[in-house]
Each structure stands twice: as C-alpha cells, then as structure tokens.
Amino acid sequence: MSDDSVINGKAWRDFCGELANLGDIILSPDNPAAPLDRAEGYRYLTRLLRLGLEQHIEARDPSFPFFYQLSHTTGKIGADNPDNVYWNAKISGEFDYRITVKRGTMAYLSIVANAFRYHEDGTNKATGALVDSEIEWGPDGVAEIIASTTPQPKNWLRLEPDASMIIVRQSYLDRTKEKPGEFKIERIGGPATPAPLDAAALGAGLKETTAFVRGIVNTFIDWSKMFRETPNIFPDIDQSMFQKGGGAKDIYYAHAYWKLAPDEAWLIEVTPPSCYYWNFQVDNWWMESLDYRFLDVTVNQSTARLEPDGRLIMVVAAEDPGFGNWLDTAGHGEGTALLRWAGATEHPLPAARVVKLKDIKR
C-alpha cells in the first residue's frame, strides 16, 4: 500500500519533529535537574529510540517473528534486571506460533505473552505465562511450546486476541558459570516469505516508534514520582500496577526511592524468604539499572553475604564503607531501586534508614 506522506518525505519530517518534542520531557521541572540526571535523560531517549525502531520497524510483521532484545546493557526499560537476559518477539493473537527452546543453565526462566500497549496507555499486561517448572522438557533439554488462543495438551502459552509480544526472561545467579538458552519462534501456517517493504507500514512504524518512546518515558517518570513521595523506605505497593507494566506474575516487586547526601548511606535490612531467585539493584531517576558491567550496583542470592542469622544487610552509598553488600550510587544523589522476590510465598519489605557513612562499622 502506498503512503504519500512517506514517499514525499513528510512522514520522516514529522518523525524528526516529534523526536525534538520528546526532548522537552527531560526538561520538566518535576524531573531532577542535576547535570548527570539530565544527560542520562537525553541518552535514555537515544536508547529508547533504538529499541523502538527495532520493535516497530524491523520486527513489526507478526507473520515473521524473531527474538530481539528490547532491554540489554545499553538499552534499558523499567528497572531492567542486571541479572537478566531478555528476549522479545512481536506476535499477533490472531496467529499460532511454535517456540523452540534449548534450555541453558541460568537459574530462572519464564516465557510470557503480553499485550504491549506502552504507546497507547502505558501498559504491557501479561495474557499468559510459563515458568521453567511448568515446561515439559525433552531428554536433550529442548522443549517445543505452542503459543495460541486455542488450548494445547502440553507446553501451551496462552494468547489473548490482543496479545502482541512474547517476553523471555532468564536470570543469572553467576555469570561466570551459567549459560543462556537458545530460542526460536515461527508462525504456524503462515506465508513462506515476507512481502516487500510497504510504505504505509513504514509510516505507521515511524509513528509507533515515537509513541513508544513517549509512552515509556512518561510511564516510568510517573512511577518515579510516586516512589519519591516515600523516600528511603520500601512502601507496600499494589502489585497489579507492576503487572500492568509488564512484570512477571511469579515475581514480587518492592520498588523504592532513595535520596542521599555524599556523606550519607542507605542501610537496608531484610531476611530473604524461601524463593528460587531474588536480587536487589540501584537505578537512576529514569528507572534504568546503573552500569552493572563496571560498577557494584546489584546483588543476588549468590553474590550477597548474609549474616549468621540469615539477615541480609545492604549499604547504598557513594563510597564503600567496607561493610559488605555495598551498592554504588555512581555519582547520583537520588534515584530508584528495586528488590525482587521470585517464587516466594512471603514478601517481606525491608527496614531501611539513612545513616552517616562514617558510622557504618562491621
């Protein structure tokens, strides 16, 4: 289908103009104005633009899906987990799909079908999910999963008619020892080859990309504003909010906001419940995980040191006080944080307080 606005260049000019308008969001007086926060905000837009183009231009045809990464080390959305390898595939609830999985050795695996509506109403609600223990694996560690609206006898990933994305989460406990799995997806009964690029589809993809960026930024700014109302504690927040944003149903999310002077530390204490995975991470205002490739900004059940009585004590500060379980604020004076309990039946919220860095002693 032809689209005159694409052919004559208007769609591209409109796309570029909307990108310029998106920059105004970063300058909102409700956002932190520190140079680091502002710079990260503009970098955030460039990252979301890359992710949005991949999703809405390259991967937009649900008849020819493939797995791509909508969150990774240099592209981050909504308190992305530093321990995770994420894979996404664009689908349609109108079709059936075959997903072939070769299980790796990472500690946690879930496959979730979502109705991705960040560009419409800021939501990404799950329509069906499978976790590792629910999948019937072959003797070679390979499983075939059918994603469809029609029930299947085994390894069924339920789709709703408006399902539009599949999200794979894998979580490391030890990156030096564990290997990610391998994933392939194909539509069942679809055409053999894709049609040539359609101008109207490209025009729609450009509009959806900027709507995606705007929706993501506004959604998580709103979350950060809410967390900021109760700084330096872990409030009890209705989990349905996070599930609407794309969170997995088997994970309890304890979000928080921290604000510290350079000589202060955020001291956090909790006894982890019995669960198959947990982690804690420090994020910026934009709800991006800090750079875990180079900095100590996250701990999990494998890397953390527990007290003899099973308590977990963590210290968030600009400097390492030598106490253990230190998480670096990486030049920030404020930001967000997230504690996850995966597969737990109890969800304790940590006790937290601000203390002077010099007063922390082992």
Side-chain angles (χ1 to χ4, degrees):
M1 183 186 300
S2 180
D3 184 334
D4 289 344
S5 69
V6 171
I7 306 308
N8 64 27
K10 182 179 182 300
W12 181 258
R13 289 191 297 272
D14 290 347
F15 171 73
C16 294
E18 178 61 8
L19 289 181
N21 294 335
L22 286 169
D24 293 340
I25 300 176
I26 307 304
L27 299 175
S28 169
D30 289 333
N31 297 330
L36 178 56
D37 293 309
R38 282 273 175 88
E40 287 184 338
Y42 286 113
R43 183 183 64 182
Y44 183 42
L45 294 183
T46 69
R47 289 174 163 183
L48 292 178
L49 176 59
R50 284 188 285 124
L51 299 176
L53 289 170
E54 181 76 1
Q55 174 160 294
H56 295 289
I57 301 292
E58 302 298 342
R60 72 174 292 105
D61 188 347
S63 287
F64 294 90
F66 60 90
F67 281 108
Y68 59 95
Q69 290 191 285
L70 196 60
S71 192
H72 49 76
T73 53
T74 59
K76 307 182 177 195
I77 297 177
D80 58 292
N81 188 342
D83 288 334
N84 274 13
V85 176
Y86 296 95
W87 290 105
N88 300 70
K90 187 80 174 286
I91 60 159
S92 169
E94 299 178 12
F95 307 140
D96 297 344
Y97 297 90
R98 179 182 296 105
I99 304 170
T100 305
V101 182
K102 183 177 181 181
R103 181 71 167 98
T105 59
M106 293 175 68
Y108 171 81
L109 167 67
S110 69
I111 303 174
V112 182
N114 286 61
F116 193 94
R117 307 188 194 104
Y118 275 126
H119 59 294
E120 296 175 2
D121 59 9
T123 64
N124 185 24
K125 193 171 181 180
T127 69
L130 287 171
V131 296
D132 189 2
S133 60
E134 297 171 329
I135 298 172
E136 186 175 320
W137 298 94
D140 55 356
V142 175
E144 185 176 282
I145 295 167
I146 301 299
S148 64
T149 57
T150 304
Q152 303 294 315
K154 68 174 183 177
N155 290 351
W156 176 47
L157 181 63
R158 181 174 59 85
L159 301 184
E160 294 293 339
D162 66 342
S164 56
M165 177 172 290
I166 289 173
I167 303 175
V168 176
R169 291 177 176 86
Q170 301 170 92
S171 299
Y172 284 108
L173 288 181
D174 186 341
R175 284 180 176 269
T176 66
K177 297 178 181 178
E178 298 168 354
K179 291 180 58 178
E182 299 176 14
F183 303 86
K184 179 183 177 182
I185 183 170
E186 57 186 332
R187 179 185 163 189
I188 298 172
T193 58
L197 178 62
D198 175 59
L202 177 63
L206 292 174
K207 291 179 181 178
E208 290 169 11
T209 295
T210 53
F212 165 88
V213 175
R214 185 176 292 276
I216 293 285
V217 175
N218 285 334
T219 293
F220 293 112
I221 284 177
D222 286 345
W223 286 24
S224 290
K225 288 178 183 176
M226 185 187 75
F227 304 152
R228 186 170 59 185
E229 294 175 1
T230 52
N232 300 320
I233 66 170
F234 286 82
D236 188 5
I237 303 173
D238 183 355
Q239 292 294 294
S240 65
M241 169 181 166
F242 307 131
Q243 290 167 3
K244 288 178 182 177
K249 289 187 177 181
D250 61 321
I251 299 177
Y252 182 91
Y253 299 90
H255 284 274
Y257 195 88
W258 56 273
K259 189 169 185 176
L260 298 169
D263 65 341
E264 291 179 331
W266 191 28
L267 197 63
I268 302 164
E269 182 176 329
V270 66
T271 300
S274 175
C275 59
Y276 45 74
Y277 170 80
W278 66 258
N279 86 312
F280 176 72
Q281 67 188 73
V282 181
D283 306 319
N284 63 13
W285 166 260
W286 313 105
M287 293 191 65
E288 297 178 296
S289 66
L290 301 183
D291 201 339
Y292 51 85
R293 296 173 298 173
F294 309 112
L295 303 172
D296 295 319
V297 294
T298 184
V299 293
N300 64 30
Q301 68 213 68
S302 176
T303 61
R305 185 178 80 177
L306 299 183
E307 302 299 303
D309 60 1
R311 286 177 302 142
L312 169 67
I313 303 176
M314 300 178 289
V315 178
V316 177
E319 298 178 16
D320 183 359
F323 185 86
N325 299 332
W326 168 62
L327 295 101
D328 193 344
T329 55
H332 297 81
E334 59 189 307
T336 58
L338 174 57
L339 174 67
R340 293 174 177 85
W341 306 126
T345 57
E346 298 178 302
H347 309 114
L349 293 172
R353 67 186 191 275
V354 176
V355 300
K356 290 296 183 182
L357 189 58
K358 63 180 178 59
D359 294 334
I360 296 179
K361 295 181 176 61
R362 174 53 75 175

